Amino acid sequence: MTTDTSNLLQQLIDGELPDERGFFGPFGGRFVPETLVPALERFERGAREALKDGAFKTELRQHQETWVGRPTPLMYAPRLSEAWKAQVWLKREDLAHTGAHKINNALGQALIAKRIGAQRVVAETGAGQHGVATAAACARVGLPCIVYMGAKDVERQAPNVVRMRRMGAEVRPVSTGDATLRAAVDEAIRHWVGDPQGTHYILGSAVGPHPFPWIVREFQKVIGVESRRQMLEQAWKLPDIAVACVGGGSNAIGFYHGFLGDAEVELHGAEAGGIGPAVGQHAATMSGGTPGVLHGSRSMLLQDGDGQVSDTQSVSAGLDYPAIGPEHALLAHVGRVHYHAVRDHDAIAALDELCRLEGILPAVEPAHALALARRLCEGRDDPTVLVNVCGRGDKDMPILTRLAEEGNT
Amino acid sequence: MRAHEVISQAITDGRDTHGIALVAYVTAGYPSMDAFPAILADACAHADVVEVGIPFSNPIADGGSLQETARAALKAGATMNKIMHTLRELDGTLAAPLLLMGYLNPLLAYGLDRLADDAQAAGVHGVIVPDLPLEALGMAEPLTDAGLATIGMVSPVTSDARLARIVERATGFVYAVTSVGVTGQHRSDQSSIVEYLHKVTSAATIPVCAGFGIRSKQHVDTLRESCDGVIVGSALMEAVGEGRAIGPILQGLR
Ligand SMILES: Cc1ncc(COP(=O)(O)O)c(C=O)c1O
């Protein structure tokens, strides 16, 4: 490690990144049409004031405790431990209200949107979890909500579409582009460009222009902070290995932030390896990408030599995105976190294993983290491993039903 | 004359001769790489400056019609290399100076140093990068060093303080986005647009062109007294999509 990169890691641990322009070292920033700059500045100001305000923090904590159900449990998984020859601990974000970590961010941003006087909220969603979380948070604070969702995702995550509409959100299917999360982000940004003053865009992952990667991380940090405390209380030690899945990277960044300063804790991220390493067959940004600018920030990006963004493929709508949050790009750059591609079929096998051994149906997204964790335990002597089970799999019933019908387990 | 001065001069000349300068936008490679040179030549024959749009897979500031042209151009095999090659071959035959209008990522992939070198040989005098705001303009240094115009964009929601800093950094002309929204959409609140353009022209020492959603002579007439030029894109590309020539449309606008 050069001094430069170790400095960057220390700055990150000390809370000095992103810098005032929104950069995490060489990644991040704010690359957006001029029309959005005043809106981003207003949001950043509002968020900074809110996070310093004791009354806001109290209000947020009350919502977290009584509405979200925090802290979520940390659970020892005895039968999985036996199967993996390891001490396996699971952070149960699947037990958070609406069924995934996405609620942490949606709630926080909705409260800020209300504070800065937004008239309505727009959001994008892939798996539908962020859409459901945003719809719920908007219902809670009393703001109208419009959710853009790729037409392909509307189909494969159908239960969540019903949930969003029931909570009063307007779901707008997007059939342009690849009809998945990337196209939904494009449309949500276009909507926002058209009404930057009245609308707040609740971005659902640690991606996008500054201040989103920062604010999303601040609201997701609760996962890592709770996990670390719970590990010490229940396991009496920190994990040797901590694993999360990474699409845009919001659950993972919040989770890692509990352990960044604990050099003895190995941090790993599971990306969507899809059906193979060829271009267009996966969404493993860190494994297959190069630096580039998409949706307002500079990070790792799946793209061709001409800077055109590649199509992606994954069984998990929530990981099916060609970019990754800029803070992850930095964490990989400085060597603090290791990112790996996990194939669809390995994730589905891990999902089944958790169902059968522990009676928990995880979402297909964290199933990638489970598959990676199992792989990382191989050849080690009884490691203590912590996996962030960031969401539950009810939303994935259409996919699981199809796989069952195809006889594909 | 440095490249950016060529652009400013072309706008000023257009305004002096015709009452208002005309900037035409054409998507490179739309509807095909083969058809593009003739469309570009036509645009150059009837406009004072022509913006050559570099197609991008995720054009977040574009409305439906320009998104469609970008998608079709990419499908037809338009790449930055081919576009620059085509422009180089046409250099000297075109009646107007060119600007590249492109999102940051394809320009970065081509390389800004390389672009600065190649621009001259291809008749390119500057760039418009919609996702490169003031704070990130430092990245465009290889282009500004080469004297290329880096068109500054302002919008009706830009604060006065920001406006002052943007016009100070801009070269070529200032691009005043007339409506908040994506390209192609027209919103009519003429009195506030005139007021806003007045603010921009007062702040700027280089020409000011208004764009986004301008489609008819009527629109142009409402802006005639308030700025130096207008930028027309979606209306032209929709015509190309329907197989119509853009020369007569451009003629009809002034
Ligand atoms: C359950 C679940 N996990 C993970 C993700 C991926 O998001 P991120 O990478 O931001 O955590 C999603 C996104 O929709 C999700 O629903």
Side-chain angles (χ1 to χ4, degrees):
Chain A
M1 216 189 266
T2 68
T3 36
D4 174 37
T5 59
S6 71
N7 270 348
L8 282 169
L9 179 59
Q10 195 53 51
Q11 282 176 286
L12 200 61
I13 292 167
D14 294 343
E16 290 164 11
L17 297 180
D19 64 20
E20 69 283 358
R21 287 188 172 191
F23 279 94
F24 298 87
F27 303 106
R30 181 181 279 168
F31 300 97
V32 293
E34 175 59 29
T35 306
L36 290 180
V37 174
L40 287 165
E41 285 177 343
R42 191 182 55 216
F43 174 47
E44 182 180 359
R45 241 183 349 262
R48 285 196 191 284
E49 280 165 15
L51 292 180
K52 271 188 287 190
D53 177 0
F56 178 86
K57 285 194 276 193
T58 305
E59 187 187 2
L60 177 63
R61 194 172 54 242
Q62 280 166 355
H63 283 294
Q64 284 173 336
E65 286 172 6
T66 62
W67 187 69
V68 177
R70 301 212 73 88
T72 57
L74 175 79
M75 179 198 125
Y76 181 67
R79 301 189 68 210
L80 211 52
S81 294
E82 200 184 319
W84 294 7
K85 299 189 175 54
Q87 305 294 314
V88 185
W89 294 83
L90 306 176
K91 176 61 172 169
R92 299 290 309 276
E93 285 299 292
D94 59 314
L95 293 178
H97 180 45
T98 64
H101 68 289
K102 297 281 180 186
I103 195 70
N104 303 324
N105 169 53
L107 167 65
Q109 282 200 48
L111 289 171
I112 293 175
K114 190 86 181 173
R115 231 176 114 103
I116 61 177
Q119 303 297 304
R120 73 196 62 79
V121 155
V122 57
E124 87 298 335
T125 198
Q129 287 306 102
H130 175 58
V132 170
T134 304
C138 286
R140 185 85 181 96
V141 307
L143 279 172
C145 172
I146 298 164
V147 181
Y148 289 92
M149 187 170 188
K152 188 172 155 193
D153 295 336
V154 166
E155 226 165 88
R156 59 180 166 167
Q157 309 276 218
N160 272 343
V161 178
V162 179
R163 293 171 79 198
M164 284 184 264
R165 290 187 170 142
R166 285 276 169 206
M167 290 193 202
E170 185 195 337
V171 180
R172 297 189 181 169
V174 180
S175 43
T176 53
D178 60 355
T180 62
L181 182 53
R182 163 161 65 117
V185 176
D186 282 351
E187 274 327 298
I189 293 178
R190 284 194 187 103
H191 181 119
W192 197 30
V193 170
D195 180 28
Q197 281 155 319
T199 300
H200 174 63
Y201 177 19
I202 300 193
L203 189 46
S205 194
V207 300
H210 179 61
F212 284 112
W214 164 72
I215 195 80
V216 173
R217 175 246 274 174
E218 288 304 300
F219 286 130
Q220 294 293 1
K221 235 159 63 174
V222 66
I223 306 172
V225 171
E226 281 178 15
S227 295
R228 186 176 196 281
R229 194 186 65 229
Q230 290 167 321
M231 280 301 292
L232 291 175
E233 283 168 5
Q234 292 175 239
W236 295 2
K237 63 174 294 217
L238 293 179
D240 301 311
I241 303 169
V243 189
C245 68
V246 196
S250 67
N251 89 83
I253 205 70
F255 181 65
Y256 298 155
H257 260 265
F259 304 99
L260 280 185
D262 301 307
E264 71 275 26
V265 180
E266 260 181 47
L267 301 175
H268 294 271
E271 304 192 297
I275 58 172
V279 175
Q281 295 195 335
H282 64 89
T285 313
M286 215 63 95
S287 317
T290 49
V293 174
L294 178 69
H295 295 146
S297 71
R298 181 172 191 274
S299 187
M300 297 299 278
L301 185 60
L302 293 172
Q303 58 182 330
D304 67 15
D306 290 309
Q308 304 297 342
V309 180
S310 308
D311 283 342
T312 53
Q313 187 173 331
S314 169
V315 67
S316 56
L319 306 184
D320 202 353
Y321 183 68
I324 188 169
E327 191 168 359
H328 287 286
L330 179 64
L331 286 168
H333 180 69
V334 302
R336 181 67 185 93
V337 181
H338 308 279
Y339 297 84
H340 319 254
V342 174
R343 301 265 181 106
D344 285 352
H345 61 83
D346 291 328
I348 296 296
L351 179 146
D352 282 331
E353 187 178 39
L354 190 65
C355 286
R356 295 203 173 139
L357 295 184
E358 302 289 350
I360 297 169
L361 170 60
V364 290
E365 288 83 7
H368 288 69
L370 289 159
L372 175 61
R374 190 188 227 285
R375 200 200 297 168
L376 292 168
C377 286
E378 277 164 21
R380 301 202 206 204
D381 182 23
D382 198 31
T384 299
V385 55
L386 169 63
V387 182
N388 189 31
V389 182
C390 58
R392 59 178 151 95
D394 306 42
K395 70 180 176 63
D396 296 318
M397 289 321 290
I399 299 166
L400 298 175
T401 306
R402 202 197 65 222
L403 288 175
E405 280 165 7
E406 289 168 0
N408 233 331
T409 58
Chain B
M1 246 198 293
R2 305 209 79 193
H4 67 85
E5 291 162 341
V6 172
I7 297 295
S8 305
Q9 191 65 50
I11 301 291
T12 310
D13 289 349
R15 182 202 60 203
D16 291 348
T17 317
H18 302 281
I20 192 157
L22 204 48
V23 180
Y25 170 94
V26 293
T27 304
Y30 180 73
S32 67
M33 275 316 279
D34 289 341
F36 169 62
I39 293 166
L40 179 61
D42 197 14
C44 288
H46 297 95
D48 301 296
V49 171
V50 173
E51 278 183 45
V52 175
I54 307 298
F56 180 47
S57 51
N58 294 77
I60 52 167
D62 286 328
S65 25
L66 294 192
Q67 278 177 55
E68 179 51 32
T69 61
R71 200 196 55 79
L74 288 174
K75 210 164 148 224
T79 63
M80 191 67 184
N81 282 324
K82 283 193 206 161
I83 293 163
M84 291 303 282
H85 179 78
T86 302
L87 297 184
R88 202 158 47 236
E89 297 217 308
L90 293 173
D91 186 42
T93 69
L94 298 172
L98 304 180
L99 292 169
L100 294 184
M101 137 71 209
Y103 290 84
L104 189 54
N105 203 52
L107 301 183
L108 290 177
Y110 190 77
L112 297 184
D113 289 309
R114 184 171 161 219
L115 184 60
D117 288 343
D118 292 358
Q120 201 97 8
V124 170
H125 290 78
V127 294
I128 301 178
V129 188
D131 55 351
L132 192 70
L134 176 70
E135 288 72 18
L137 258 186
M139 279 176 83
E141 210 167 76
L143 306 179
T144 43
D145 285 354
L148 294 166
T150 45
I151 307 298
M153 295 181 98
V154 299
S155 104
V157 295
T158 303
S159 69
D160 293 353
R162 248 186 107 72
L163 176 78
R165 288 195 291 143
I166 293 169
V167 300
E168 190 195 338
R169 294 284 303 262
T171 53
F173 62 81
V174 175
Y175 192 137
V177 174
T178 49
S179 67
V180 173
V182 293
T183 57
Q185 292 171 336
H186 184 69
R187 313 241 169 123
S188 50
D189 177 4
Q190 294 312 330
S191 65
S192 67
I193 288 179
V194 167
E195 203 177 301
Y196 152 70
L197 287 177
H198 179 72
K199 193 168 77 174
V200 182
T201 48
S202 314
T205 55
I206 54 175
V208 173
C209 297
F212 275 42
I214 295 169
R215 317 186 140 265
S216 65
K217 178 142 191 334
Q218 195 194 340
H219 293 159
V220 176
D221 284 340
T222 61
L223 299 168
R224 196 175 288 279
E225 304 300 320
S226 320
C227 58
D228 302 290
V230 290
I231 303 156
V232 183
S234 296
L236 300 180
M237 289 297 96
E238 284 161 21
V240 170
E242 291 159 11
R244 288 186 285 134
I246 60 175
I249 300 175
L250 284 166
Q251 267 175 329
L253 285 174
R254 270 199 294 223

